[in-house]
Amino acid sequence: VESGARLEDVRGACAALESSTRLSPSCCEALAASDGAIAALLKLARACNRSRPHVDLLTLMLRTLANVSERSPKLACCVADTEPCVDVLLDLVQVFRDRPVPFGIATGLLTTLAAADVGARNACCSPAATKRLASVAALLKLRDHHAQGAALAAFRRTLATA
C-alpha cells in the first residue's frame, strides 16, 4: 500500500470490487465464498493510514464489505466470521472517528454484522469493545462531531436491544 503505483493498482481493483458487489448479488456470494478475499480486504484495511489516498482506498474496501453484508444475513455472517473482522472495524471506528465517511460505513457495517451474527454481537458487547466505544463516544461529544456521535449512538442502541 506504500508505493504510489501499487496504491493505484489496488485502488482500481477495490473500485471494481465495490461496483461489482453493489450491482451483483452473485458477485457478493462469490466474494463471500472465496478463500481469503474478505481476510485480504481486512488486512489491507488495517494497513491503511489517515492520508487522503488511503482513506479513499479504505472507503472502497468498507463499501465492498458493506455491499456483501447487506445482501443477506447469511453473507453478513460470512463477513463477520472472518477473523479479525470485528476487531478491525472497531479499530477503524476509533482511528477514523473524525472522518465521517469511513466512520459511518464502519459503524453501519458493525451494526449489520451484529444484527446478523451472534459472535459479532458478542464481540461488540465485550467489556474491551464497550470501553473502546465509550471512549470514542466521549471524544465525539467533546469535539462536537454530531453526525458521527449519532451514528455511534445508534450502533450502541442496536447492541443494547439485541
Side-chain angles (χ1 to χ4, degrees), residues 42-43 45-50 58 62 84-99 102-103 106-107 110 123-124 128-129 132-133 136 152 155:
L42 293 168
K43 182 178 179 183
R46 210 171 229 169
C48 287
N49 62 40
R50 294 175 49 85
L58 178 64
L62 288 172
C85 184
V86 173
D87 283 340
V88 169
L89 292 173
L90 288 170
D91 287 346
L92 296 176
V93 164
Q94 204 165 13
V95 171
F96 293 96
R97 64 187 173 270
D98 61 338
R99 302 277 182 114
F103 179 89
T107 304
L110 278 169
C124 289
R132 290 172 74 183
L133 293 170
V136 171
L152 186 60
F155 170 60

Side-chain angles (χ1 to χ4, degrees), residues 136-160:
V136 171
L139 282 170
L140 292 174
K141 186 175 181 180
L142 182 68
R143 297 221 159 89
D144 227 12
H145 292 288
H146 296 293
Q148 293 98 311
L152 186 60
F155 170 60
R156 293 175 79 193
R157 278 193 303 276
T158 301
L159 293 177

Side-chain angles (χ1 to χ4, degrees), residues 41-97:
L41 287 174
L42 293 168
K43 182 178 179 183
L44 188 58
R46 210 171 229 169
C48 287
N49 62 40
R50 294 175 49 85
S51 71
R52 184 72 185 158
H54 281 222
V55 170
D56 292 342
L57 178 61
L58 178 64
T59 299
L60 289 169
M61 289 183 285
L62 288 172
R63 284 189 178 141
T64 299
L65 293 172
N67 292 341
V68 172
S69 298
E70 292 167 0
R71 286 285 174 192
S72 74
K74 176 185 169 208
L75 294 178
C77 289
C78 288
V79 172
D81 290 342
T82 305
E83 287 295 324
C85 184
V86 173
D87 283 340
V88 169
L89 292 173
L90 288 170
D91 287 346
L92 296 176
V93 164
Q94 204 165 13
V95 171
F96 293 96
R97 64 187 173 270

